[in-house]
Amino acid sequence: IKVAEKHYEKDQESKTSFTAEPLSEIHFGQNYTDSSVSKVFLNGLIYIGLIILALATLNFINLETAQAISRAKEVGIRKTLGGRRVELILQFLTETYLLVILATGVGLVLVEFLRTLFISYLPDGFAMDFFAIQNVVFYLVFPILLSIVSGIYPSMILSGYDPQRALKGEKLAHQGFSFGVFLRKNLTVLQFSSSIAFIILVLVLNYQIRFVSSQPLGFDKGAIMYSSLPFMSDPDKMVQLQDRLNLNSAVKGSSLSGSLVSSTSLWTSDSYIPVDTTEKQVYVQVMNVDSAFISVNGIPLLAGKSQLIQTDEILVNKNFLKEAGITDPEEGLNLEIRFGGGQKKIVGVFDNFHSRTLREEIQPMIMTTNPKFFQSVTVKLASGQNLAAAKQELETIYKSIYPYETAEFKFLDEQIAQFYAEDLRIRNVLGAACVLAILISIMGLFALSSHTIAQRSKEISIRKVLGASLAQILGLISKEYFLLVGVSFLLAVFPAYYFLRDWLDGFEYRVEMPYFLFVLSGLGVMLICLLIVGLHSYIAAQTNPAKVLKDE
């Protein structure tokens, strides 16, 4: 700030402020759009990765504890032969560590595949240095920590079996409260909560993105191409380029302007509207355009003309007249306002259009003309054109006027689509996380339901002998899973709602919170749950009771 005060000449009529930015943050800044990376998006990837890892860890604990009974005899024999509990714990932790090491190896193989798959999400030139010292340390240390976190509880359960009961093949049925059963059910609840939350997020993000993509923008974005002009180019050369473009048979019309009809560019200023004997200050968005801008971009003209011939002539939008208290566009014509250090006359009124993203409301706007500061050329192509051929012709004309400049014409609709590129990335990443979370949850539920039904196999057989129908048995087994999914839904709704509320609040034009998508997500997970549990229950119900009850 002191440097600015020393070297920057102050202007009494305007205020200029300077802010410092850490060098390490420049890459994430919005002023470097060609190479900037969203820090929010990168952090989101980290958080999603941690969530998936946590779900996988919980699922491993769930599977190991649910299947522990299958190793009960092994534990009983080891203890009978003198094996100590500490040795058993170390054995099971070692087995877990080997699984984690194997998973780490598979993960390293998948890294390059995923890097190629998501290359558009990553900075240019991004590559993994697998043998960097910090990565090697990670390969060695992280599997140990993960093995301890995920393996300690299952190893304690396995090593704690009573040898006598284990060798007799008892199923260790518990009377009253069982911490193991309680833990498995709660881990399953957490897994399904994450799955439901991810599903809700993906559905609502997609719903809002489709909404903003389908909204009328107030101008014609079809078959419009644009290119940048050299900085501070000679106005005569710009007009020469425009004339050459208009002579081409593929071109319906062309326009010169300071910015595109819809972009991230923003020029704002103050204007003063006469009200009785005073003036009303109105904060406006300003666009520097030529006389063809309105017609080339298909912006509806409500009154007056679109040509800006004199420097004191301006065009305004309907929202500007609203600020002036004028409802009829014709009444706004020839109104003189103070703007840009002088008096300006309104010669035309155009309809409101979205000059920026739908995250922002349409501001009062003034269009003025200053050819020295035109920076873009926009071309409206005639109907029925070969777009690739037309693009090449436009670039050839551009090079004939500016032989030392890089000529590249792009489509306006692709530029507008970039407004929501990060939202699409977030949706796609959440979609991938959603699939993983659902798969992990299904595996956890599969283990829990198979363990539960195995524990209740005799009960199912006795009920079948006593005349219970298949529907009654399925209902008996399934009802507790209704409760589990219901609790999961309640746990998922609140964090998903608060995240989506903040995200939707970032859009000036947005859908109302689509609660029906919340319900659909819960019902979808409920259906998956019932299919898995129903399949297990059906198999158990079809088993011959005599085979199950032969020892009774």
Side-chain angles (χ1 to χ4, degrees):
I1 296 176
K2 291 183 179 179
V3 174
E5 292 177 349
K6 181 179 179 181
H7 296 282
Y8 187 79
E9 185 177 347
K10 295 181 179 180
D11 188 344
Q12 297 296 329
E13 295 185 2
S14 63
K15 295 181 180 179
T16 303
S17 60
F18 296 89
T19 57
E21 184 178 22
L23 193 61
S24 59
E25 297 295 317
I26 286 181
H27 190 56
F28 305 103
Q30 294 181 351
N31 294 326
Y32 302 86
T33 54
D34 291 337
S35 60
S36 65
V37 176
S38 170
K39 199 168 187 178
V40 174
F41 180 69
L42 292 180
N43 289 335
L45 288 177
I46 295 173
Y47 297 145
I48 289 173
L50 292 175
I51 291 172
I52 295 298
L53 179 62
L55 289 177
T57 302
L58 295 176
N59 196 57
F60 178 81
I61 296 172
N62 207 356
L63 288 170
E64 284 292 293
T65 53
Q67 300 299 324
I69 191 64
S70 64
R71 302 189 65 178
K73 289 187 177 181
E74 174 193 346
V75 173
I77 294 171
R78 291 283 304 273
K79 282 190 171 183
T80 302
L81 296 176
R84 293 180 299 172
R85 187 175 186 184
V86 174
E87 294 173 342
L88 292 172
I89 291 175
L90 289 176
Q91 175 195 336
F92 296 134
L93 286 177
T94 302
E95 292 174 359
T96 303
Y97 177 73
L98 292 175
L99 289 174
V100 174
I101 284 292
L102 179 61
T104 303
V106 175
L108 292 175
V109 173
L110 289 175
V111 163
E112 191 62 25
F113 168 74
L114 293 174
R115 188 187 71 85
T116 305
L117 185 63
F118 293 98
I119 189 67
S120 61
Y121 293 28
L122 303 172
D124 294 337
F126 176 84
M128 275 288 295
D129 185 1
F130 291 100
F131 299 103
I133 184 63
Q134 64 270 22
N135 289 338
V136 173
V137 172
F138 175 82
Y139 306 151
L140 297 175
V141 175
F142 185 73
I144 297 175
L145 295 176
L146 187 59
S147 299
I148 294 173
V149 171
S150 59
I152 189 65
Y153 178 75
S155 63
M156 295 289 289
I157 295 296
L158 285 166
S159 63
Y161 281 149
D162 178 51
Q164 183 178 358
R165 300 183 66 183
L167 290 174
K168 288 175 63 178
E170 294 183 14
K171 298 274 179 128
L172 300 180
H174 294 277
Q175 299 294 327
F177 176 79
S178 168
F179 180 76
V181 175
F182 174 80
L183 180 66
R184 285 192 293 275
K185 289 184 177 180
N186 280 276
L187 293 181
T188 303
V189 166
L190 289 176
Q191 290 171 1
F192 273 110
S193 295
S194 301
S195 300
I196 294 171
F198 277 128
I199 294 172
I200 292 172
L201 293 176
V202 171
L203 291 180
V204 176
L205 261 66
N206 189 64
Y207 192 64
Q208 170 64 15
I209 291 172
R210 290 181 61 185
F211 172 79
V212 297
S213 300
S214 64
Q215 291 303 295
L217 300 177
F219 59 87
D220 183 11
K221 65 178 181 178
I224 290 184
M225 303 188 73
Y226 70 93
S227 183
S228 299
L229 294 169
F231 180 69
M232 295 293 287
S233 175
D234 182 0
D236 292 336
K237 294 195 74 173
M238 289 189 284
V239 173
Q240 184 183 358
L241 171 63
Q242 185 179 19
D243 291 339
R244 290 284 303 276
L245 290 171
N246 288 334
L247 290 174
N248 190 279
S249 60
V251 175
K252 186 176 181 180
S254 64
S255 170
L256 302 171
S257 58
S259 62
L260 299 177
V261 64
S262 184
S263 68
T264 56
S265 176
L266 182 62
W267 173 16
T268 59
S269 183
D270 293 324
S271 64
Y272 299 87
I273 303 173
V275 178
D276 298 328
T277 58
T278 61
E279 290 182 327
K280 179 181 179 181
Q281 183 180 15
V282 178
Y283 184 70
V284 296
Q285 179 181 350
V286 185
M287 296 189 75
N288 181 21
V289 304
D290 68 356
S291 296
F293 186 85
I294 293 289
S295 60
V296 167
N297 289 288
I299 302 172
L301 187 67
L302 302 179
K305 61 179 184 178
S306 61
Q307 291 78 21
L308 294 172
I309 301 173
Q310 304 296 329
T311 57
D312 65 342
E313 295 179 341
I314 59 171
L315 308 175
V316 299
N317 69 349
K318 192 161 65 172
N319 275 359
F320 183 90
L321 293 185
K322 182 179 179 181
E323 290 292 331
I326 300 173
T327 56
D328 186 0
E330 294 288 345
E331 294 180 10
L333 297 179
N334 299 318
L335 175 67
E336 292 194 358
I337 66 170
R338 188 158 61 90
F339 165 72
Q343 292 295 117
K344 307 291 182 180
K345 182 172 65 174
I346 299 175
V347 297
V349 179
F350 56 91
D351 204 357
N352 296 329
F353 67 91
H354 293 280
S355 63
R356 290 171 64 78
T357 77
L358 271 73
R359 295 180 185 275
E360 306 172 23
E361 63 179 344
I362 300 175
Q363 299 291 334
M365 181 184 292
I366 290 177
M367 288 185 181
T368 184
T369 184
N370 190 342
K372 291 190 300 183
F373 297 102
F374 287 157
Q375 299 178 29
S376 302
V377 56
T378 303
V379 175
K380 175 67 174 179
L381 299 177
S383 59
Q385 295 298 314
N386 183 316
L387 298 181
K391 179 179 184 295
Q392 187 174 4
E393 290 180 18
L394 297 179
E395 291 175 351
T396 301
I397 295 172
Y398 188 102
K399 292 291 286 185
S400 69
I401 305 298
Y402 298 106
Y404 303 108
E405 298 291 335
T406 301
E408 183 180 6
F409 276 83
K410 302 177 182 178
F411 288 97
L412 179 63
D413 53 359
E414 294 178 354
Q415 163 69 21
I416 294 173
Q418 290 300 312
F419 291 165
Y420 313 106
E422 184 174 337
D423 297 307
L424 288 171
R425 292 191 187 105
I426 293 173
R427 183 201 64 182
N428 293 339
V429 170
L430 284 175
C434 178
V435 172
L436 289 175
I438 291 173
L439 289 176
I440 293 172
S441 300
I442 289 174
M443 291 170 63
L445 177 65
F446 193 89
L448 178 62
S449 63
S450 62
H451 178 75
T452 301
I453 292 174
Q455 295 281 44
R456 302 180 66 178
S457 59
K458 291 184 179 180
E459 176 190 349
I460 293 172
S461 298
I462 293 172
R463 288 180 179 274
K464 189 175 180 181
V465 169
L466 294 177
S469 66
L470 178 61
Q472 289 174 324
I473 293 174
L474 292 178
L476 174 70
I477 301 298
S478 301
K479 64 180 181 181
E480 68 174 300
Y481 293 96
F482 273 104
L483 179 61
L484 290 180
V485 176
V487 173
S488 300
F489 178 76
L490 293 177
L491 292 176
V493 161
F494 292 102
Y497 171 81
Y498 286 114
F499 174 85
L500 290 170
R501 184 187 63 178
D502 290 341
W503 182 73
L504 288 174
D505 284 345
F507 289 85
E508 189 65 31
Y509 302 89
R510 60 182 181 270
V511 297
E512 294 296 324
M513 186 66 75
Y515 295 108
F516 71 95
L517 293 178
F518 288 56
V519 176
L520 286 178
S521 301
L523 291 177
V525 172
M526 178 72 76
L527 179 62
I528 294 173
C529 175
L530 292 180
L531 286 174
I532 294 173
V533 175
L535 177 63
H536 273 142
S537 302
Y538 178 79
I539 294 173
Q542 294 299 312
T543 304
N544 188 348
K547 184 177 180 180
V548 177
L549 300 173
K550 63 182 179 179
D551 294 331
E552 299 300 322

